Amino acid sequence: MKKILILFSHPKFEKSRANSILVDKIKDKEGVTFHDLYELYPDFNIDVDAEKELLKAHDIIIWHHPFYWYSCPPLMKQWIDMVLEFGWAYGPNGNALHTKKCLNVITTGGTRALYCEKGTNSFSVTEFLRPFEQTANLCGMRYLPPFTIMGTHKIEDKELHDYANKYDKLIGLLQQGLKLADVGNFSFLNDIPQLNT
């Protein structure tokens, strides 16, 4: 079974109904390490060596965060800047993460209709996540499409619990070896047939 590291970053987690439901479903799942960055590093003083050891011990990395100004919260960005060092994660001899899989799990207040060329945000979520995809590429990781919960301000609890069940199922598929080839041309992992059966 593949080991999964969920790097969770939410500066206002206690106020997030959507993320609370998602996290409650998966945080104690076997083979999953739930790693709350704001809980561990409220002063932003990241233990780089400890984080590297965590990364080495896991097969799949999930960046789980709300979509803050078309990106991630600042602590996650600092984590990326500090932990994924030249010579370790990328560059000459920087192969510590080669062949690991990674993906984003994100929540947005805006709906899918707002994240497109004709929507008020002008670009798709996939386009906004390109820096994460390129970070994964540079580090030799295999980047999967995101799992998204969109329009969270208006979603009823029942639908959020449905998303949480899909998230749980997705983690199970990843642990069993879900590959990029298995997801077809879907922009979001939410839409793959394996989660909708």
Side-chain angles (χ1 to χ4, degrees):
M1 180 171 68
K2 307 282 185 187
K3 293 180 69 179
I4 296 179
L5 174 62
I6 297 177
L7 293 165
F8 180 73
S9 180
H10 199 316
K12 295 185 178 181
F13 181 35
E14 69 281 357
K15 295 182 178 180
S16 177
R17 182 176 58 104
N19 281 286
S20 293
I21 290 171
L22 292 169
V23 167
D24 282 348
K25 184 69 178 181
I26 54 81
K27 68 179 180 180
D28 297 318
K29 192 172 177 70
E30 184 182 355
V32 170
T33 301
F34 180 77
H35 196 58
D36 186 338
L37 295 177
Y38 276 93
E39 180 74 22
L40 287 163
Y41 304 119
D43 58 359
F44 280 55
N45 188 17
I46 296 169
D47 184 338
V48 172
D49 290 336
E51 296 300 309
K52 286 180 178 179
E53 288 304 313
L54 264 178
L55 288 169
K56 287 195 281 188
H58 292 81
D59 307 296
I60 299 161
I61 314 304
I62 295 177
W63 288 307
H64 181 155
H65 58 94
F67 215 40
Y68 268 32
W69 283 104
Y70 312 110
S71 186
C72 61
L75 183 54
M76 180 166 284
K77 179 61 170 75
Q78 180 156 329
W79 183 95
I80 291 168
D81 291 343
M82 304 218 22
V83 176
L84 304 183
E85 290 181 319
F86 179 80
W88 184 80
Y90 70 100
N93 303 314
N95 57 10
L97 303 176
H98 279 201
T99 73
K100 293 182 187 289
K101 291 180 190 152
C102 69
L103 65 134
N104 293 85
V105 170
I106 63 165
T107 54
T108 70
T111 62
R112 281 194 190 191
L114 298 177
Y115 284 94
C116 65
E117 185 178 341
K118 295 182 181 178
T120 56
N121 291 310
S122 304
F123 300 96
S124 70
V125 165
T126 304
E127 289 172 299
F128 283 119
L129 290 175
R130 288 285 185 235
F132 289 93
E133 181 177 2
Q134 181 53 27
T135 297
N137 291 341
L138 187 64
C139 294
M141 294 190 283
R142 298 186 180 118
Y143 186 77
L144 296 169
F147 181 83
T148 61
I149 301 85
M150 303 181 75
T152 57
H153 299 309
K154 295 182 179 179
I155 292 179
E156 298 292 330
D157 281 359
K158 182 189 179 306
E159 190 174 354
L160 285 173
H161 283 285
D162 289 343
Y163 276 113
N165 288 332
K166 283 186 177 185
Y167 189 16
D168 182 59
K169 194 170 185 180
L170 173 62
I171 287 173
L173 290 170
L174 289 166
Q175 288 175 321
Q176 295 164 20
L178 181 74
K179 299 179 182 71
L180 187 55
D182 299 330
V183 304
N185 293 319
F186 291 99
S187 296
F188 300 107
L189 286 176
N190 312 47
D191 300 329
I192 63 173
Q194 300 93 311
L195 293 187
N196 295 294
T197 54

